[in-house]
Amino acid sequence: QHFLYKTKVFPLEIELTNYDAIPKELRQLSYNHIGDIDIDITNGIIYGGLEGDNGISALATWNTTDLTMISYKVTSVKGMPWVAIDTSNRYIYTALWNACCNLDIYDMDSFDYIKSVNIPSGLPNEIQGGAFYEGELYICSNLEDAVYKVNVTTGDISFVLSDSYDHHDYEMEGLDFFDLTKYGLGVMHLFGNFMTAREKSLRSYKP
């Protein structure tokens, strides 16, 4: 929960680990969890949310080269379980774990709050990951072990797929897009945790 690691694209091997990705000064303030991250590949910056005791949260960035923290800013929301960046407008999207009906938007550079987008039909519970693909936001729900697509302009939401396992054993923790079709691994990748076996997994899908 405190660390970040960097892997090869293929085969999936860990190249670098930072066990102090949440610096000591923030751990002393009870920050103890990094949510699902997203990466600005062009500029080599990782974006993520920090969470701590009593619902405190912050937005943060790290270098992709050495995984050290660049900056952070405390927010007023009660949790930051995931972030998804849209580099076309420099927005960060996120929502509470059980947000009901709103996506919150922040500026990628200043971390200032911009606005919220209402989702009339509601968001699924236990959202733990999100990422943009071809202009639309995809989110994953641990409660349903499912992926949904959200149009952030209209607020429309639609079911994409189920990645169901025994819910009490498997925790869906994250989502990202990276074209690995030449390795037979698809484009959308779901990161999960097999809790009983104490193993992590990646599940990959084609569009």
Side-chain angles (χ1 to χ4, degrees), residues 39-41 43 85-91 108:
I39 301 175
D40 179 353
I41 296 175
N43 295 301
I85 62 171
D86 183 351
T87 55
S88 69
N89 55 21
R90 307 294 298 172
Y91 282 176
M108 277 181 64

Side-chain angles (χ1 to χ4, degrees), residues 105-171:
I105 303 175
Y106 296 82
D107 182 87
M108 277 181 64
D109 301 304
S110 67
F111 294 157
D112 289 342
Y113 170 78
I114 296 174
K115 62 181 179 179
S116 293
V117 174
N118 180 255
I119 310 299
S121 60
L123 292 165
N125 288 331
E126 297 188 17
I127 305 173
Q128 298 207 144
F132 277 86
Y133 181 68
E134 295 185 346
E136 294 193 284
L137 173 65
Y138 289 74
I139 56 176
C140 62
S141 163
N142 175 59
L143 180 67
E144 302 175 18
D145 292 327
V147 175
Y148 291 83
K149 180 170 63 175
V150 182
N151 184 311
V152 297
T153 301
T154 64
D156 293 336
I157 184 170
S158 57
F159 175 82
V160 175
L161 60 83
S162 172
D163 192 52
S164 182
Y165 290 87
D166 179 351
H167 177 72
H168 296 287
D169 180 61
Y170 177 75
E171 179 183 11

